[in-house]
Amino acid sequence: MTAGLETPPVGASVGASVLALRLTESAAATDSPVCPNASFDTWFARHREANRFTVARIPFAQLSGWSFRESDGNLVHTSGGFFSVVGLEVNTDWQGRGTWAQPILDQPEVGVLGILVKEFDGVLHCLMQAKMEPGNPDTVQLSPTVQATRSNYTGVHGGRRTTFLEYFTDPDRSTLVDSLQSEQGSWFLRKRNRNMVVEVTGEVPDHENFRWLTLGQIHRLLGDDNVVNMDTRSVVACMPFTAPAGPRRLDAGAGSGAAAASRYREVLGLSLSGRGGALHDMEGILGWLTEAKARREFSRRLLPLSGVYGWHRSDTEISHAEGRHFTVVAVDVRAETREVTDWSQPLIAPVEQGVAAFVVRPIDGVLHVLMHAKVEAGLLDVCELAPTVQCLPVNYADLPPERRPAHLETVLRAPAEAVRFDAVLSEEGGRFHHADNRYLVVEVGEDFPVEQGPDHRWMTVHQLMDLVRHSRYLNVQARSLLACLRTTW
Amino acid sequence: MTAGLETPPVGASVGASVLALRLTESAAATDSPVCPNASFDTWFARHREANRFTVARIPFAQLSGWSFRESDGNLVHTSGGFFSVVGLEVNTDWQGRGTWAQPILDQPEVGVLGILVKEFDGVLHCLMQAKMEPGNPDTVQLSPTVQATRSNYTGVHGGRRTTFLEYFTDPDRSTLVDSLQSEQGSWFLRKRNRNMVVEVTGEVPDHENFRWLTLGQIHRLLGDDNVVNMDTRSVVACMPFTAPAGPRRLDAGAGSGAAAASRYREVLGLSLSGRGGALHDMEGILGWLTEAKARREFSRRLLPLSGVYGWHRSDTEISHAEGRHFTVVAVDVRAETREVTDWSQPLIAPVEQGVAAFVVRPIDGVLHVLMHAKVEAGLLDVCELAPTVQCLPVNYADLPPERRPAHLETVLRAPAEAVRFDAVLSEEGGRFHHADNRYLVVEVGEDFPVEQGPDHRWMTVHQLMDLVRHSRYLNVQARSLLACLRTTW
């Protein structure tokens, strides 16, 4: 089936904005004199070394400032701030899942994830932070300039004010990107954070925990396991982007590998720029997503955490009766460089490493990504666009093949030459404990069927970037992968 | 301040889609041989005459199938279907409103509002229904082809299947428009309906309650009080639209009135087509809306209806202690032509007629609409774009001027020649009892300040149409006014 793509209507939005061109130029700069890669690596390694800290599992009873509330058993902070662990019951006919109950994080306030950008020698650089989070597998990761919950900036926890936050609250700021985006729908109830990019032209004070990097330098780091944190990936994914103007220098050697790489970059370039057309026009995609949301039953209600059935609470964890999904744990954290020095808190710990993968293939010469309209318990509006595959395999291990996630085998058994991106990246370390996902971009060939079931649709990268300007189209794993995919250009 | 508009970037989306051109052509057809205006008027008057029915206020205790549930006092239907009246508590620092409790309608399922369109002699016609709803001030109004709750099409109420619904559920249908849109945020908790336009090419059976009308014929009727119902206005507003290609024939007489009308149509034409540029680009508008949502505190929780404070329940109504907002009432309905013949149900009855108005003015030769980022208790995500003014004036009567709705005086005191649209239109008669709003489009001059407070922004009509393709940007009153405004071209 290649009956010809929908070509954009006359005058349609395929031209790149000035901002997209500037960011693309920044992505083309794979190194920079402002903070050369070599000195970045030294600086970052030193931070990881200097900021070793201890995260110890403790019984819930030893949490300081947190307790199970008598009335409903919810795990809450004394201040009423931060977040709480509550119960949720979901009833849906999606994927034959029926009714279930689960613990979920409730954090109704809107936080800020912000990257400050500034031109050096005409090239945009991003102010990135070496930041420790208690749940990170590798302690310190590369974070946006600012990660601030509303508690952070209103000072509920009595800590220091978030560094550089004032650039994001200045009413006269130059805002380049500003949208509300969802976070893990299986773990968070209706969570959203503000993803911002703000440009400065004046002097910004140096700070030992921060370095200016081009988007190309961030791309380099994205391929490393557990270096670029989730919040950075999310904000980077919201940056508009296009394709390089000229042909790109190939790093690969000679031979068929180089030819395949060259062809991949060509089809990706047309997908990034939007100049190649798309299998479905935007009206078709929006209508398909509406149909996906409206077709199924989906209702949910809050439960007291003490009323969540199918889960067990011990002194040290709340866990699923069959060992699936995640556990809620408590940790004690001792470190030097966070806003407050010692604290304890609950975290969600998934029971194993997850998989999040884009299956991509050229359709009529333009790279398309197979997106999944996936229901998740806590999403604001039932479902968002998720990666082709997003799961913890253990949750499906006992199920018959037809109830396992579509395309999981394709992704896990892909030959090495088809894997365009492969790194283990963790979810937000402030709420999740060692929540690793293996992020993959897997290219499939023309024999992979274009026809897919009602929950999947092929889209170009340009279409994904058009949607991510708005809130809540791409879930957080899809945004991570969008950022990863753009490193493969 | 007219420092020049943001002109669209090279290649930006200012070209009209084929669909927009076809619908604009339909709007230019102010009469049609398929159902000429004169015969429509006769047919419609006959329907109103033939379908007189009785809607009588009754005590809650006489409701059939509805009762106040013992556990929480919520007003629910025996089937668990339809909707229920529950309690909500809201806490917000928007507009200094603080904390309040109120009854609210909870109807979690997604209904379908659908208009079937078909070409006759190359011009698109809409299949419109003469439909009675118990709360309508004038009994029968002009409805979309289909208004179906999920209860309607799953048959919860045991009535007849909704006529023509199969065109909207056919998997091979040709869908032109399909988005989820909110309804009254002050009266509904997280309500959304699917707004659909589906095209057919084959024969559609005649039905005595339905007639094919061009968009131009619907425009004619929109100017009459209480003829075109809310659901029609909402779906029509979701249809893409552009400006007529040539200059439009002027109906006005000679002299300065004709000159003003001609000038108005010119600036409106540029605003409809997007060819004139806009004061703010789309990124700026999206960022402003994000800021509006994130800036303020907003939290809410369900209450048992019996726990709603500040409201009184008598045998016949639930009313606000100070006589503001609305009352919840019960009605007994006797009629012949609805899906079921006799029934009783609760309705929400606002305490007086509301005002919903667009203030518009040319900015650098392009008509702009002043939109309001307005918080409403039941909206899915805090606030949406509302008309410049949207209120029941009585709710603000005792407040000092600075706490009254901005621009209310401008709207109510506008000179006749500045009023581009003025009709009394009611909200959905299946849930609301005589919920009239006076819908106004008021043009202001160059002396009206372009600078506005943080909750208002000027947008072109083209930008509004770009946003309404997505869910939940324009609230239902803004969609009504967008439909009304487009009749003034």
Side-chain angles (χ1 to χ4, degrees), chain A residues 77 79-82 109 148-162 165 339-340, chain B residues 297:
Chain A
H77 190 253
S79 66
F82 292 104
E109 60 183 31
T149 62
R150 205 176 165 90
S151 311
N152 279 138
Y153 58 86
T154 57
V156 167
H157 67 354
R160 292 197 298 273
R161 191 179 159 79
T162 305
L165 183 61
E339 290 85 354
V340 289
Chain B
E297 299 276 359

Side-chain angles (χ1 to χ4, degrees), chain B residues 119-333:
Chain B
E119 277 196 0
F120 293 87
D121 274 339
V123 177
L124 283 174
H125 286 61
C126 306
L127 187 57
M128 304 305 294
Q129 182 182 182
K131 184 173 171 67
M132 68 77 85
E133 294 281 358
N136 284 344
D138 284 293
T139 62
V140 170
Q141 294 196 1
L142 194 65
S143 304
T145 319
V146 158
Q147 288 176 204
T149 62
R150 206 176 164 90
S151 311
N152 278 138
Y153 57 89
T154 56
V156 166
H157 66 355
R160 293 195 297 272
R161 191 177 160 81
T162 306
T163 309
F164 296 129
L165 182 61
E166 63 275 16
Y167 289 93
F168 298 87
T169 55
D170 178 359
D172 297 323
R173 68 183 179 269
S174 167
T175 305
L176 305 183
V177 165
D178 193 356
S179 61
L180 295 176
Q181 301 290 352
S182 67
E183 298 192 357
Q184 286 72 12
S186 298
W187 301 337
F188 270 125
L189 180 62
R190 299 194 188 101
K191 175 76 184 308
R192 58 230 208 284
N193 266 330
R194 192 169 172 184
N195 285 238
M196 299 180 79
V197 179
V198 167
E199 183 171 8
V200 282
T201 49
E203 277 299 300
V204 176
D206 286 338
H207 190 299
E208 172 47 25
N209 297 344
F210 293 79
R211 287 294 181 271
W212 292 101
L213 301 180
T214 66
L215 209 44
Q217 292 178 286
I218 296 172
H219 280 185
R220 179 183 75 99
L221 298 166
L222 252 172
D224 293 340
D225 287 357
N226 283 322
V227 169
V228 176
N229 85 348
M230 182 195 90
D231 295 340
T232 301
R233 303 190 306 265
S234 176
V235 178
V236 164
C238 294
M239 294 178 176
F241 198 76
T242 180
R248 192 154 177 277
R249 177 185 51 80
L250 295 185
D251 302 322
S256 69
S262 164
R263 185 198 44 75
Y264 171 78
R265 283 179 177 140
E266 186 187 325
V267 297
L268 174 60
L270 286 170
S271 187
L272 281 165
S273 71
R275 285 190 294 269
L279 185 62
H280 305 286
D281 66 14
M282 189 53 77
E283 261 43 51
I285 288 171
L286 296 178
W288 162 75
L289 192 59
T290 299
E291 167 84 17
K293 290 179 180 180
R295 185 173 59 235
R296 305 283 173 70
E297 299 276 359
F298 182 87
S299 63
R300 65 183 159 204
R301 64 188 182 103
L302 286 174
L303 293 181
L305 184 58
S306 55
V308 169
Y309 46 88
W311 293 70
H312 296 314
R313 180 178 137 194
S314 73
D315 289 346
T316 55
E317 63 181 32
I318 302 170
S319 54
H320 185 254
E322 294 165 15
R324 293 184 185 170
H325 307 297
F326 58 83
T327 60
V328 181
V329 302
V331 295
D332 180 74
V333 186

Side-chain angles (χ1 to χ4, degrees), chain A residues 9-19 93 108 110 150 153-154 168-169 173 175-180 190 192 194-196 282-283 286-299 380-382 466-467 469-473, chain B residues 9-19 93 108 110 150 153-154 168-169 173 175-180 190 192 194-196 282-283 286-299 380-382 466-467 469-473:
Chain A
V10 179
S13 175
V14 298
S17 69
V18 171
L19 177 59
D93 58 358
V110 176
R150 205 176 165 90
Y153 58 86
T154 57
F168 298 87
T169 56
R173 68 184 179 268
T175 305
L176 305 182
V177 165
D178 192 356
S179 61
L180 295 175
R190 300 196 188 99
R192 58 228 208 285
R194 191 170 174 184
N195 285 237
M196 298 180 78
M282 189 52 79
E283 261 43 51
L286 296 177
W288 162 76
L289 192 59
T290 298
E291 168 84 17
K293 289 180 181 180
R295 187 172 58 234
R296 306 281 174 70
E297 299 276 358
F298 182 88
S299 64
L380 194 73
D381 193 18
V382 185
D466 204 13
L467 289 172
R469 299 193 305 152
H470 303 279
S471 300
R472 286 187 298 279
Y473 277 112
Chain B
V10 179
S13 175
V14 297
S17 69
V18 172
L19 178 59
D93 58 359
V110 177
R150 206 176 164 90
Y153 57 89
T154 56
F168 298 87
T169 55
R173 68 183 179 269
T175 305
L176 305 183
V177 165
D178 193 356
S179 61
L180 295 176
R190 299 194 188 101
R192 58 230 208 284
R194 192 169 172 184
N195 285 238
M196 299 180 79
M282 189 53 77
E283 261 43 51
L286 296 178
W288 162 75
L289 192 59
T290 299
E291 167 84 17
K293 290 179 180 180
R295 185 173 59 235
R296 305 283 173 70
E297 299 276 359
F298 182 87
S299 63
L380 194 73
D381 192 18
V382 185
D466 204 14
L467 289 172
R469 299 191 307 151
H470 303 277
S471 299
R472 286 186 298 278
Y473 277 113

Side-chain angles (χ1 to χ4, degrees), chain B residues 76-143:
Chain B
V76 298
H77 190 253
T78 328
S79 67
F82 293 103
F83 61 93
S84 51
V85 186
V86 305
L88 187 74
E89 182 180 71
V90 179
N91 185 305
T92 181
D93 58 359
W94 283 71
Q95 297 150 355
R97 289 173 67 187
T99 300
W100 76 89
Q102 67 166 85
I104 198 160
L105 301 184
D106 183 19
Q107 184 175 352
E109 59 183 32
V110 177
V112 171
L113 311 178
I115 294 182
L116 200 62
V117 298
K118 181 181 169 176
E119 277 196 0
F120 293 87
D121 274 339
V123 177
L124 283 174
H125 286 61
C126 306
L127 187 57
M128 304 305 294
Q129 182 182 182
K131 184 173 171 67
M132 68 77 85
E133 294 281 358
N136 284 344
D138 284 293
T139 62
V140 170
Q141 294 196 1
L142 194 65
S143 304

